Amino acid sequence: MIRTVATAPFDGQKPGTSGLRKKVPVFQQPNYVENFVQSVFDSLSDFEGETLVVGGDGRFYNREAIQKVIKMAAAAGFGRVMVGKGGILSTPAASCVIRKHGAFGGIILSASHNPGGPHGDFGIKYNIGNGGPAPEKITDAIFARTKTISEYRIADVPDVDLDRLGITRVANMVVDVIDPVEDYAELMASLFDFEAIRALFAGGFTMRFDAMSAVTGPYAKAIIEGTLGAPAGTVINAEPLPDFGGHHPDPNLVHAKDLFNLMMGSEAPDLGAASDGDGDRNLIIGRGRFVTPSDSLALIAANAHLAPGYKGGIAGIARSMPTSGAADRVADKLGIKCYETPTGWKFFGNLLDVGLATICGEESAGTGSNHVREKDGLWAVLMWLNILAARGESVDAIVVDYWRGYGRNYYTRHDYEEIDASAAEGLIADLRARLASLPGQSFGGLAVERADDFAYDDPVDGSMTTKQGLRIFFEGGSRIVYRLSGTGTAGATLRVYIERFEGDPARQDQDPQVALADLIAISRSLPDIAGRTGRTEPDVIT
Ligand code: G1P
Ligand code: ZN
């Protein structure tokens, strides 16, 4: 019943990334999914008879890949696979299920916020028993294995009916098709004041949640419209579609433009929110007020005690290095530490596991806490609802009050997408070589105070991660950061992060692109982005 298939090394997961992400046709090549999944299993040990959680964001090829994973898990000796009905599990829900059921780990099928469909992106990643992305020593082992693999094993059995809840047998293994929402919804109910949020909606509070035809639709419908009593129609684009309706399921101001326009117009509800392809990112917009993810992290940290799950206060905050320094100010006031980690959620896991941090976030619209080991889009939305219910003020009032109290970190990220990979690498290499000479020099009238290549010394496991982004600090607390994206699938994406602190309340209400205009000009001229990449403007501004 178990078939061993000869195969050959393949172009696998890059070192340092948390999963394999490629275009769908790449995954459709014979043995491709099998090679990666076998490389994952070959990099793990002692999982005989254990539980593996499997699910994805519903994108094109989700079901096909899941059938392969199930049959290979059976061949590898797992005792049970828990899979979301229809193959659905949002990334945070998968993390929740892994933790709640004491699973050995999980395989998540997703390419996050990247477009889906037959020509879109697909991805596979492995999460460990704490519910978080595999640490580097495992992802490196997987990568090494993809270069030597010679065979894989698969159970020769019919496909499992993913649309019927309950238990079936696959070879010597049990497959449990579970409700993808149940465990997650129960966890949310334990963290937030659902009574107060129900009362908020009952009192006429209005909201639009755009699920972007991606995985959070069923979760948001069940929790926001179901349990919390928001009117039907509050959640839009609620059905997960294999191609996300042809849209780019990234909840930023470019791809969630309709929501943004609604929120800036006269018909705006009290709160606008959205999540991405796999449900780990969030967008929060109040009536007439966009909340940057960096501000949202700081505000959530400052107000978390209003939610029952955090009423005892938070132990610490963690933010990725490119995320603005707003959270640091909140941490100072609370008398707790704010950890600065490399980009990507996996670095938060250690801090959360040992209780050094409670709340984490990234500028790329990822916010979360120690309730799971992934960022969590719907969690952030429910946290905001809890804060709004407890404070009885508008989003705008809460944000402005926060700026007045802590000061405002003006912030923007400029992305130059699909640029020539060698031009991008050359730009970074040359700037890296110039870093030591920058302090003391002035650009556009602003003096550089220091410059470095961010490295992270993990306080928990002692591991060192280097080359995580070039940071240039200017006088007055301004900063420009350059790094190349690690998640793209075509060419290279240069990300430029620009930040300036403004403590004067009279000057806190400008458009960030205006408030940061001088630094933006410096960000382009200093490494000669136009000359090296041929781009005079970024493709995406967030
Ligand atoms: C991007 C974001 C990063 C996030 C990651 C996964 O990575 O910038 O914050 O953790 O997606 O969602 P990047 O493409 O910049 O490497
Ligand atoms: Zn995502």
Side-chain angles (χ1 to χ4, degrees):
M1 233 170 133
I2 307 288
R3 198 155 46 95
T4 300
V5 182
T7 185
F10 71 112
D11 168 26
Q13 169 177 353
K14 280 186 283 184
T17 55
S18 63
L20 182 64
R21 203 175 282 181
K22 305 270 181 191
K23 295 280 174 207
V24 166
V26 176
F27 277 100
Q28 288 172 320
Q29 296 173 94
N31 296 348
Y32 197 84
V33 168
E34 291 87 343
N35 276 353
F36 184 70
V37 173
Q38 190 65 54
S39 297
V40 171
F41 292 160
D42 288 349
S43 306
L44 308 172
S45 50
D46 300 325
F47 52 78
E48 187 76 35
E50 297 274 351
T51 297
L52 182 72
V53 171
V54 182
D57 61 13
R59 68 178 59 225
F60 188 87
Y61 211 56
N62 191 46
R63 285 170 179 264
E64 291 84 344
I66 287 179
Q67 296 293 350
K68 293 176 196 237
V69 173
I70 291 174
K71 293 172 193 176
M72 292 184 67
F78 278 95
R80 176 169 68 150
V81 159
M82 295 179 80
V83 56
K85 183 166 179 251
I88 292 291
L89 273 179
S90 76
T91 294
S95 184
C96 162
V97 173
I98 292 170
R99 293 169 67 79
K100 179 171 172 180
H101 297 277
F104 184 85
I107 287 188
I108 301 176
L109 298 309
S110 167
S112 189
H113 49 283
N114 291 5
H119 306 289
D121 289 354
F122 192 75
I124 308 182
K125 94 173 171 171
Y126 178 70
N127 279 28
I128 58 174
N130 77 348
E136 219 135 301
K137 64 174 192 305
I138 295 182
T139 57
D140 286 351
I142 296 170
F143 177 61
R145 186 65 185 154
T146 63
K147 294 198 283 193
T148 60
I149 188 164
S150 60
E151 59 179 42
Y152 66 84
R153 288 173 299 286
I154 189 160
D156 243 338
V157 290
D159 283 359
V160 170
D161 182 355
L162 296 175
D163 297 308
R164 214 180 56 222
L165 290 174
I167 289 177
T168 46
R169 221 158 228 298
V170 171
N172 290 325
M173 189 182 80
V174 158
V175 176
D176 193 355
V177 178
I178 61 168
D179 177 337
V181 178
E182 200 173 281
D183 290 326
Y184 179 83
E186 192 184 294
L187 178 59
M188 293 301 114
S190 75
L191 299 175
F192 299 115
D193 188 347
F194 274 17
E195 275 309 309
I197 303 174
R198 252 194 298 270
L200 184 74
F201 281 120
F205 180 90
T206 53
M207 173 178 184
R208 173 168 293 180
F209 182 97
D210 189 345
M212 303 187 91
S213 305
V215 80
T216 33
Y219 296 84
K221 273 242 169 230
I223 298 172
I224 297 176
E225 292 186 7
T227 314
L228 298 174
T234 297
V235 179
I236 63 164
N237 299 319
E239 195 196 331
L241 301 176
D243 67 348
F244 307 117
H247 297 297
H248 199 130
D250 193 358
N252 62 27
L253 300 186
V254 175
H255 300 303
K257 187 106 185 81
D258 291 350
L259 181 67
F260 180 77
N261 290 344
L262 172 77
M263 296 309 298
M264 296 302 135
S266 55
E267 306 283 288
D270 294 301
L271 179 66
S275 189
D276 74 329
D278 64 329
D280 57 0
R281 295 186 174 198
N282 72 86
L283 172 68
I284 302 289
I285 316 179
R287 183 180 293 130
R289 174 67 67 193
F290 162 62
V291 188
T292 69
S294 293
D295 277 353
S296 182
L297 170 67
L299 265 157
I300 285 176
N303 289 280
H305 61 278
L306 299 173
Y310 308 87
K311 65 173 186 294
I314 58 175
I317 309 173
R319 65 164 174 88
S320 66
M321 178 275 284
T323 303
S324 95
D328 305 31
R329 294 173 186 277
V330 172
D332 274 352
K333 189 141 174 188
L334 293 174
I336 57 177
K337 223 176 131 113
C338 186
Y339 296 86
E340 188 176 23
T341 62
T343 298
W345 204 259
K346 64 184 171 188
F347 295 94
F348 295 143
N350 280 349
L351 299 169
L352 295 170
D353 278 351
V354 302
L356 285 175
T358 307
I359 304 279
C360 312
E362 293 194 275
E363 53 68 40
S364 53
T367 331
S369 87
N370 58 355
H371 68 290
V372 290
R373 292 296 179 273
E374 292 277 4
K375 55 195 176 224
D376 189 343
L378 198 47
W379 172 91
V381 175
L382 293 170
M383 177 61 101
W384 265 96
L385 283 169
N386 194 136
I387 294 168
L388 291 164
R391 289 185 49 163
E393 294 167 86
S394 69
V395 171
D396 181 56
I398 291 174
V399 170
V400 171
D401 171 67
Y402 159 75
W403 288 338
R404 300 300 182 256
Y406 290 89
R408 176 172 184 183
N409 287 69
Y410 277 111
Y411 188 84
T412 188
R413 183 177 101 184
H414 288 195
D415 291 337
Y416 299 81
E417 294 182 339
E418 294 193 28
I419 55 180
D420 178 68
S422 58
E425 277 151 27
L427 183 150
I428 291 289
D430 282 5
L431 190 55
R432 180 175 284 129
R434 281 170 66 198
L435 283 180
S437 70
L438 294 178
Q441 288 190 50
S442 279
F443 297 90
L446 270 183
V448 174
E449 276 183 350
R450 64 192 173 90
D452 67 8
D453 192 349
F454 181 64
Y456 179 65
D457 203 352
D458 191 306
V460 181
D461 65 18
S463 62
M464 183 74 154
T465 310
T466 57
K467 300 194 173 172
Q468 292 300 306
L470 309 180
R471 309 191 289 182
I472 304 176
F473 298 89
F474 295 86
E475 57 186 330
S478 299
R479 181 182 80 156
I480 303 175
V481 173
Y482 299 86
R483 60 177 284 280
L484 297 182
S485 159
T487 59
T489 51
T493 294
L494 172 67
R495 302 204 196 283
V496 184
Y497 310 82
I498 302 151
E499 174 177 5
R500 176 170 77 77
F501 179 71
E502 179 57 72
D504 178 358
R507 307 209 291 177
Q508 288 169 348
D509 282 316
Q510 294 175 58
D511 175 340
Q513 302 308 315
V514 175
L516 294 167
D518 293 353
L519 280 164
I520 290 170
I522 298 170
S523 79
R524 295 178 188 179
S525 59
L526 198 149
D528 188 18
I529 292 178
R532 290 180 164 276
T533 69
R535 305 289 178 84
T536 50
E537 294 277 332
D539 301 273
V540 179
I541 294 181
T542 45

